[in-house]
Structures are given as C-alpha cells and as structure tokens.
Amino acid sequence: MPTLSRENARIWLLLLIFLVTLLSRNDAPSFTPLFGTSRRGRLSDAHAVLNSTKWGDFAPHAPKENAPPWETPHYLNLTGFRQTDGYAWTDLAYFKDRCRQWSGHAYPPKKDGVDEWDHGLVRRTWQNATGTVHGKWVRREGSVAKHAGSYNLSGIAPNVDWFDDIVDWGWNVTGSHGNILLRLLEDDGDAVWEEEVEEGKKPHSAGMAREISAVANIQDEEHSASSFGLRLHGVHWPAQGSMLLTTTTEKFAGIFGLPHLAPGPDFFETAQKLLNQTVGDVINKRERSRFSDPSNPWTPVVEEDISVGFPHCEYVMYLQLHPIDPLYIGEGVDDQLVSLVDQLENELRFPTGAPLKGKPELRMSLVAWSPDCAYYLESKGPPLFPSVEGQHLVGVKSEVLLSRTKAWMFAFATVLMSQLWLLKTQMKESNTPSTLGRISFHTVSMMLMADGMVFACACAWSLSATNTFLPSLILTFAAFITRAAYLNLLAFVYLSLWVPQARRNIRRNSRRAFAWRFMAGQSVLRLAPFAYFYLREDNILFVEPDAVAFAWLVGWVWVQLVVIILC
C-alpha cells in the first residue's frame, strides 16, 4: 500500500492552507450558507423600516376616546416596537420630557427664543465624549408594572429558544439607588452626518450626528452582589452635547428604532440619516462576506458566557454633557470659545506643550429607561438633589485618564524599587548566622511572593496594555464595588507580613531581627498604594475612598511593629 512521505505531507498541508485562505477572501465567488441567513433577512427588513419611516410614525401613547384618526397610537414593525409585544411604550413621552429637562438644565434656552434647543452657537462642551465617568443613580418606577410573566417571548422573538420558568430577567435593577461607571467611546474614523445649512440661516444644535458606543457597569447598592455590565450603541449630537444610546437584542431592535426615541424632529432627521448609512454598511459588509457571521453586530453582551436564551432588560440611555467650567475656557464670544474648546481637545490628544489652565472634568447627566422592565435610572445631582449628595456623572477624558495612569504606574514602580533597595540593604546587614537565625523565613517569603505576583501581572498585562487597559479598568471597578469586603480582607492578609516575624520573636525571645529602617520603610511603602485608592477621590479606578478601612489597615500594621519591638 503506497504511503505519503513526510516531505510530501508538508507540501499538501501548505497547499490546503493556501486554498482555504484563497477561497475565504471576501472578493472570491461567494455563496450564501444556510446558517445566518435568517438573521441577515431580519436585519435587512429592520433597516428598511429605519429607512422608510418618518417623525411621528411611532406614537405609542395611550388611546383616547373619540380621538381623530391622526391622534390614534402608531407603532412600528420592529421587534419590541410593535403593539402586540406589550412593552411599556406609554412612558415614552415621560422619557423624552426627562431628556429635555436634563438638557434644559445644562443649557438653558434663550429667553426670547421659540426653540427650546436654541442655546446659541457656543461650543462650550467637549466635542468628543470619549472618556470614563461615574456617579450615583436613583431608581424610579414607570407608570405600569411589568414582570417576566407580562410577555410572550416566543411571540416577540420566535427564533430564540427561550428558557422556561424564568422568574426574573437579567440586568434587572430592583434597588432604589446605586453606582454606575460609564465608558464612552467615539473614534475619529466613525461616520458623521452633518446637515447642509442654507445661506443666511444658522445651524441647529442637532445638525450634526456622530456614532458613539458605551459600556456601562451598573451596581445596586441594596443588593451587594447585583452588578452587571452591558454595551450600548447610539448617536452623539456634538453641538448640543446630547447622546442617545440603546441596547439591541433578539427581542428589541433598539438601534433601528433609535431615531424615533429622540427628543425632537431635528434629532430624528440627523439620527436617521446617520444610522441609515452606518447600519447599511454593516449589513452590506456581512452580505459580501463569504462566511456568514451569525452574531449580533450591536450586541449588548460584555461577558461572553451569557446565554442568548436568557432574557434581559433592555435599556434606552440619554446623556447630556455639561458645559466646561468657564475657569478653563473663559466667558468669551462664540468664535473664541469654539477655538478654545478645539485647542483644548487637540492639546490633550496631541500634546505640544501649549500652556493650559488645567484639565477640565468630563461631566454629564443621565436618564436611562427600560421599556420592557418599566423603570428609570436617573443620575443623582442638581436640581433634584443637592450637590453634596451627587454631581451626576463625573470623570475625565480618556487622554487625561491615561496620563494619570502612567503617572501612577511610574510612582508604583518607584515604590517597588524602593522596597527592593531596602531588602538589599537588609541582606547586607543580616550576613551572619546569628542574624539570619532571628529572621522569619515566612515574613520574607510573603514579601517576595507579593512582589513576584505584581511582577507577573504587570508582565502579562503589558503585552496587550493598549487594547485591554480600559476594559480591564471596568472589570477592576466592578470587582471593587461588588466585593469590597473581600478586597479589604485580601489587603488585611497582604499587610500581615510582620505576623510570622512577631511569632518567631516571641518563640525565640529575640528582637533585633530587622533594622528599624527596613521595617518602617517596608511598612510605609506597602501601605502607599492602598493609601492612593483608599484616600484619593479622583483615583484611576474611580472607587470611593474609605478612610476608615485604611485607618484599620494602618493600625494593624502598627500593632505588628509594636509587638515585634516589645516581644
């Protein structure tokens, strides 16, 4: 029987790889596989609805008795936007009203103007909202009560095998208050739609629209284990500083109906033009691809292990950027402010050394609404709450955050090098059998193991730091807010490094194992990173300071040192 030589096997393997690569190119003759065809058809149908509808086609208000035909409720032929789906769309008017209130508070309309969105041509806020903000939220009930048994999921999305006997949905917030961390992302390469302005007329604040996405981590303070992350996609109107984002799943075609959720007709027009282009590009790209991708292009799932068959609450989120503090850009005329804001953003992104008055914070207010779970989440701050209880959402631009992170990493590296120097100095002083016999092997091992773990984590993270820093920041923040007691316990164990030495001193009745300089230096240096996160409000992880917990940690280290000295 003929056999294939090892050399020929390598050649055939290379030919096979070449053929697979050639045939998988997007410009090769394509065929449409059965897998994924159904989703592409649904996406194309939803895109047709997005393209053909106009402002007012979606008016899901409660029916009025003896109302004329033009005042009857109107729905869309989109998943989740149909009347038969049963979502709480009667609260849409209240949601839009809250959006207008948040924007009106940030940018009060002109007293003599007829347009509530007319606040002049002053670009007093960031034009690129990429950054990270955090703050507190409060929950408000909708006008109707909805629960898992209120819907026929098989009728809303029959193509999904939904789990049976689900008592409660995922991403459902039941507590009255909590925290939120929001990471916003918009690239210069994202699509932009700008309306043409007729000669002699001024542009509207909703005249330009741009793509934007966000990752939100929401934590319920009344339920310590209730924390989840989700991704939203939407539109940013830079001139107004307004953003509207939504989730898109099998039971809610959020991105396709987003223009109808906008607060006004001008916002609808530019959002529809933008999404017609961007959504169409996504669908066309998938149709040209040889191998179909069955995944959701606008998936809200952040954790990949979440099952599609498990339903979650949908979200529509409205964000309003606040004006930059005049301390940084002054109170000049329109043209001057436009130039100053542009210069400020350019200097942050491409530093040239130009003098700046400071780096303004990124501030915004939030109102999020779940049309199927029927409740609202609103950021806590003026005018409904005093400023001491909350300042809505506060954070920094991504460039500022990266700069702070670099500074913190350099400082942390300095701390590690100082620890190494102290250890080297102590090794020189403990160079005799008698001095070595007084040193606890476990204390030194705890120091070296902790430093080694930090080194290993730093090496692993640095390999992909550019791509994973901000997602890792979200994950770390989630760990801090949902497992705070556990992390305090880890810190307590980490700072118990002197316990083995104290135990050895007591057993051997010896005291001067380590030099005073070594014990005091190691204690201060190992407490320093904890002091940054426990005491500083604007830390890079956006965790709330806890001076009491840090005081306990300092006291614990001090007690260990006292025992070593006295025993």
Side-chain angles (χ1 to χ4, degrees):
M1 183 175 178
T3 59
L4 191 65
S5 66
R6 184 172 300 178
E7 290 76 11
N8 290 336
R10 293 195 187 102
I11 296 176
W12 282 109
L13 178 60
L14 291 175
L15 285 175
L16 179 62
I17 295 175
F18 175 76
L19 289 174
V20 170
T21 305
L22 179 65
L23 294 176
S24 63
R25 292 172 54 190
N26 289 342
D27 57 353
S30 62
F31 66 93
T32 303
L34 296 178
F35 190 68
T37 304
S38 176
R39 179 185 289 276
R40 283 208 306 273
R42 295 194 303 272
L43 293 179
S44 299
D45 293 341
H47 183 231
V49 174
L50 169 65
N51 188 33
S52 60
T53 52
K54 60 183 183 298
W55 177 254
D57 286 350
F58 187 59
H61 54 77
K64 302 178 183 178
E65 188 176 358
N66 299 325
W70 57 86
E71 292 186 3
T72 57
H74 301 288
Y75 291 83
L76 300 175
N77 187 22
L78 291 173
T79 304
F81 291 80
R82 300 173 296 226
Q83 185 175 12
T84 55
D85 294 336
Y87 286 13
W89 287 116
T90 53
D91 285 343
L92 178 61
Y94 177 80
F95 171 74
K96 292 183 177 181
D97 184 60
R98 296 298 292 161
C99 297
R100 288 189 288 267
Q101 291 179 24
W102 283 140
S103 295
H105 178 258
Y107 289 97
K110 291 183 177 180
K111 296 181 180 179
D112 56 348
V114 295
D115 186 359
E116 62 178 329
W117 298 100
D118 184 13
H119 53 75
L121 299 178
V122 182
R123 296 169 65 180
R124 293 175 290 176
T125 190
W126 301 106
Q127 298 302 290
N128 187 305
T130 301
T132 306
V133 293
H134 69 111
K136 297 181 178 295
W137 55 260
V138 292
R139 185 183 186 275
R140 302 187 189 279
E141 291 285 355
S143 61
V144 293
K146 294 289 185 178
H147 50 82
S150 303
Y151 301 104
N152 178 16
L153 294 179
S154 298
I156 297 175
N159 54 294
V160 178
D161 294 328
W162 300 103
F163 293 161
D164 297 328
D165 302 327
I166 296 178
V167 179
D168 196 11
W169 288 1
W171 301 346
N172 187 19
V173 176
T174 57
S176 61
H177 60 279
N179 300 314
I180 181 172
L181 178 76
L182 193 65
R183 176 200 170 199
L184 298 163
L185 178 63
E186 54 179 332
D187 298 326
D188 290 338
D190 290 343
V192 178
W193 180 273
E194 189 170 5
E195 66 177 0
E196 297 182 1
V197 182
E198 298 181 8
E199 187 176 355
K201 293 186 177 180
K202 59 182 180 180
H204 193 270
S205 59
M208 184 174 68
R210 184 164 52 217
E211 274 188 303
I212 192 170
S213 61
V215 175
N217 189 281
I218 302 174
Q219 190 251 343
D220 188 345
E221 287 186 341
E222 293 187 359
H223 304 84
S224 59
S226 179
S227 175
F228 60 90
L230 70 158
R231 182 178 287 106
L232 305 97
H233 298 82
V235 178
H236 176 207
W237 294 275
Q240 171 62 36
S242 301
M243 292 165 276
L244 184 64
L245 305 100
T246 179
T247 55
T248 303
T249 64
E250 296 290 341
K251 65 182 182 68
F252 186 60
I255 196 69
F256 298 94
L258 182 142
H260 295 274
L261 309 179
D266 293 309
F267 295 88
F268 169 85
E269 293 291 338
T270 51
Q272 185 186 45
K273 296 291 196 312
L274 174 68
L275 293 177
N276 275 338
Q277 174 186 340
T278 58
V279 172
D281 290 343
V282 172
I283 296 176
N284 291 335
K285 183 178 179 180
R286 294 207 167 189
E287 289 179 347
R288 292 194 302 267
S289 177
R290 175 174 177 78
F291 294 105
S292 176
D293 183 2
S295 63
N296 179 4
W298 304 276
T299 177
V301 177
V302 178
E303 295 86 2
E304 297 297 335
D305 58 343
I306 294 181
S307 175
V308 177
F310 186 80
H312 301 82
C313 294
E314 309 294 343
Y315 285 90
V316 180
M317 184 177 292
Y318 183 83
L319 299 166
Q320 175 60 59
L321 285 169
H322 290 192
I324 298 176
D325 193 328
L327 176 66
Y328 301 99
I329 60 174
E331 295 279 4
V333 297
D334 292 359
D335 293 339
Q336 292 177 346
L337 291 182
V338 169
S339 176
L340 288 174
V341 172
D342 290 342
Q343 291 177 14
L344 184 59
E345 288 195 293
N346 290 332
E347 180 61 27
L348 289 178
R349 299 184 61 195
F350 310 105
T352 60
L356 297 177
K357 295 182 179 180
K359 297 178 180 178
E361 293 179 315
L362 183 64
R363 292 178 174 268
M364 62 187 70
S365 47
L366 156 77
V367 53
W369 173 47
S370 177
D372 53 353
C373 294
Y375 60 82
Y376 301 87
L377 301 180
E378 298 180 357
S379 57
K380 198 173 184 179
L384 300 181
F385 296 91
S387 57
V388 294
E389 295 187 16
Q391 291 284 352
H392 293 289
L393 306 184
V394 183
V396 292
K397 294 270 291 176
S398 60
E399 298 85 1
V400 178
L401 179 59
L402 289 174
S403 176
R404 290 181 180 178
T405 304
K406 291 177 182 178
W408 180 86
M409 294 180 71
F410 278 120
F412 187 54
T414 303
V415 169
L416 292 178
M417 293 297 293
S418 300
Q419 293 175 8
L420 180 61
W421 177 80
L422 286 173
L423 182 62
K424 183 179 179 181
T425 304
Q426 180 63 44
M427 289 173 62
K428 290 182 178 180
E429 296 181 0
S430 304
N431 56 0
T432 61
S434 60
T435 55
L436 287 174
R438 292 195 296 266
I439 294 177
S440 171
F441 172 78
H442 296 91
T443 292
V444 179
S445 298
M446 289 179 65
M447 294 182 184
L448 295 179
M449 286 182 62
D451 296 341
M453 291 178 63
V454 171
F455 174 76
C457 293
C459 290
W461 179 74
S462 62
L463 296 176
S464 58
T466 302
N467 298 323
T468 63
F469 166 68
L470 289 177
S472 300
L473 181 67
I474 296 283
L475 178 62
T476 308
F477 172 82
F480 261 98
I481 63 178
T482 58
R483 298 188 296 126
Y486 176 66
L487 290 175
N488 288 336
L489 178 61
L490 288 180
F492 181 83
V493 173
Y494 171 77
L495 294 172
S496 301
L497 69 163
W498 301 117
V499 170
Q501 184 62 52
R503 181 171 176 270
R504 188 176 184 84
N505 284 5
I506 295 173
R507 292 181 59 187
R508 289 179 170 261
N509 194 24
S510 61
R511 294 182 181 179
R512 293 188 55 83
F514 293 113
W516 250 110
R517 179 178 55 187
F518 178 79
M519 293 190 296
Q522 288 285 352
S523 299
V524 171
L525 291 174
R526 294 184 183 275
L527 280 167
F530 293 95
Y532 174 81
F533 292 107
Y534 278 79
L535 300 180
R536 184 163 179 170
E537 292 186 0
D538 58 342
N539 58 78
I540 61 174
L541 294 182
F542 300 99
V543 294
E544 292 188 4
D546 193 346
V548 175
F550 182 73
W552 278 102
L553 294 177
V554 173
W556 171 234
V557 174
W558 180 79
V559 168
Q560 296 175 70
L561 294 177
V562 170
V563 171
I564 291 178
I565 295 172
L566 298 180
C567 296

